[in-house]
Structure formats: C-alpha cells, structure tokens
C-alpha cells in the first residue's frame, strides 16, 4: 500500500528551530511537497523536492532522501504565526498525490 | 495571476438533503481540477479529478458526484447526504497532468450534515 507518516503534534518555542519529519512508501515518486495549513483554512504550498538534498527558502528548508523514503521540513527563527499544520505530500505519478495526516505545530512564547 | 474560488464557505445540511459545491478558476486555461475532502485528523482524500470539460474520474466510490460543465468550473454534488459526508471540502487545480505539479487550493467549504 501507499503510506505517509509524520508526527501528529509538535511544540516548539518562539525563536527556536523545529524539524518535522516525514517518511513515505509509495508505488511511484514524482516529487515531495510540504504544505502549510492554518486552522480552518486551505493548505498553501511551501516547498517541493524531487532530487535528493536540501532546498532552502528563507526561514524554511526542506530535505529529501529518496533512497530512504524520508523528508524533513526545517523551520528556523520560529514565529507565533508558524503555528499551523504541516502536510507532507508525495506525487505518485499520473494525477495522484498522497497526503499525510499533517503535523500540528504549536509555537509557544 | 491565477485564482481559485469555491462556495459556499460553510453549510449545515440535514441528512438526506442534496448538496452542491461550486468552484471556479480564473487566469488559466484547461486546468486540471480536483475535489478533496479532509476529515479531522486524517490526510486529504482525493474524491474526483478532471482533465477537461465533461471528463470526470472518481477515486472513491460514494454518494457524491462531480461535474465540469465549463473549462474552469467544477461542481461537487450529492442527491442525498449522509452523516459521514461531513468534512472540509477543498477544490484545487494544477497546471498539466502531472502529480509533480504544485496543487493550488480554494478556500474550502465546511460541510456539517446533521
């Protein structure tokens, strides 16, 4: 079967760094996405990795290891507005993108 | 720039009543369109996708249906809602028929079936 695993919840302190891990097992691979979803809102695109390595975009970075079926999202200099759910998603080929259940991040002062 | 809108934003419907959620995309032609459902604590579930007018593929058998009467319009319907249909429904679009393309979501519609 196809599966994406990520922690259900994480808590971190304002100004700190947090790493959200994601492991996946899929029948195909067309790239890995991270989306941010604030409570009651739609997900918004954060990052995309299709090759191994680290992609940096401001305070957010995303890493991919295809051989290990593993990715992480790194958030630096955490702000209160970063409190949200972070969804890991894998494009499996064709039209199908599989989403994880999301990691709820709580940023405390 | 491209925009996507869906409505209504929230609705409370009795069991057995019909449903119609509508979605439109602006600023692009021939988008791939999707309907997702997000239940509490679960990942986004793909319900339907469409590559063109009148072309609908269903991912999950259920009492919902979708239609695409125009290039940039996508409608989710039901003739008789079930309690289990409650959830957050998201319309989305991508450019091109490739799951490596970024998915852009509408604002979402909260459906509560009572």
């Amino acid at each position: 079967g196809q599966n994406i695993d990520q922690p259900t919840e994480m808590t971190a302190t304002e100004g700190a760094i947090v790493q959200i891990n994601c492991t996946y097992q899929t029948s195909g691979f067309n790239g890995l996405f991270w989306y941010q979803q604030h409570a009651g809102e739609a997900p918004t695109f954060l990052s995309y990795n299709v090759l191994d390595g680290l992609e940096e975009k401001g305070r957010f970075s995303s890493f991919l290891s295809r051989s290990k079926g593993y990715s992480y999202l790194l958030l630096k200099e955490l702000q209160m507005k970063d409190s949200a759910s972070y969804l890991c998603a894998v494009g499996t080929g064709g039209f199908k993108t599989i989403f994880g259940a999301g990691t709820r991040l709580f940023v405390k002062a | 720039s491209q925009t996507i809108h869906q409505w209504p934003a929230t609705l409370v419907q009795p069991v057995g009543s019909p449903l119609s959620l509508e979605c439109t995309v602006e600023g692009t032609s021939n988008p791939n369109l999707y309907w997702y459902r997000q239940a509490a604590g679960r990942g986004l579930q793909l319900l339907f996708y469409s590559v063109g007018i009148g072309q609908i593929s269903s991912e999950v058998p259920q009492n919902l249906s979708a239609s695409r009467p125009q290039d940039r319009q996508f409608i989710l319907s039901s003739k008789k809602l079930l309690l289990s249909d409650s959830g957050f429904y998201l319309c989305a679009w991508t450019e091109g028929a490739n799951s490596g393309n970024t998915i852009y979501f509408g604002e979402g519609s909260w459906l509560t079936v009572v």
Side-chain angles (χ1 to χ4, degrees), chain A residues 30-31 33 35 37 39-45 48 87 90-102, chain B residues 32 34 36 38 41-44 46 49 51 59 88 90 97-108 110:
Chain A
N30 232 355
F33 299 85
Y35 289 86
Q37 185 177 24
E41 299 181 7
T44 56
F45 170 76
Y48 172 68
L87 311 181
V90 174
T92 61
F95 297 97
K96 195 98 179 203
T97 299
I98 305 293
F99 284 82
Chain B
N32 292 303
Y34 309 81
Y36 286 89
Q38 186 175 37
R42 300 180 64 180
L44 288 166
L46 179 62
Y49 65 87
V51 299
E59 284 293 298
F88 190 44
L90 290 155
N98 187 327
S99 62
N101 293 320
T102 300
I103 300 173
Y104 298 96
F105 293 93
E107 304 94 333
W110 286 97

Side-chain angles (χ1 to χ4, degrees), chain A residues 52-71:
Chain A
D52 289 354
L54 187 68
E55 293 280 344
E56 297 187 77
K57 193 186 290 187
R59 294 189 298 115
F60 293 8
S61 304
S62 55
F63 171 83
L64 175 67
S65 169
R66 289 171 297 171
S67 62
K68 295 181 179 178
Y70 168 71
S71 172

Side-chain angles (χ1 to χ4, degrees), chain B residues 23-31 33 68 70-74:
Chain B
C23 169
T24 59
V25 180
E26 298 294 332
T28 187
S29 296
N30 198 31
L33 297 174
R68 185 170 177 174
Q70 299 180 46
D71 181 46
R72 291 170 292 178
Q73 183 185 25
F74 206 24

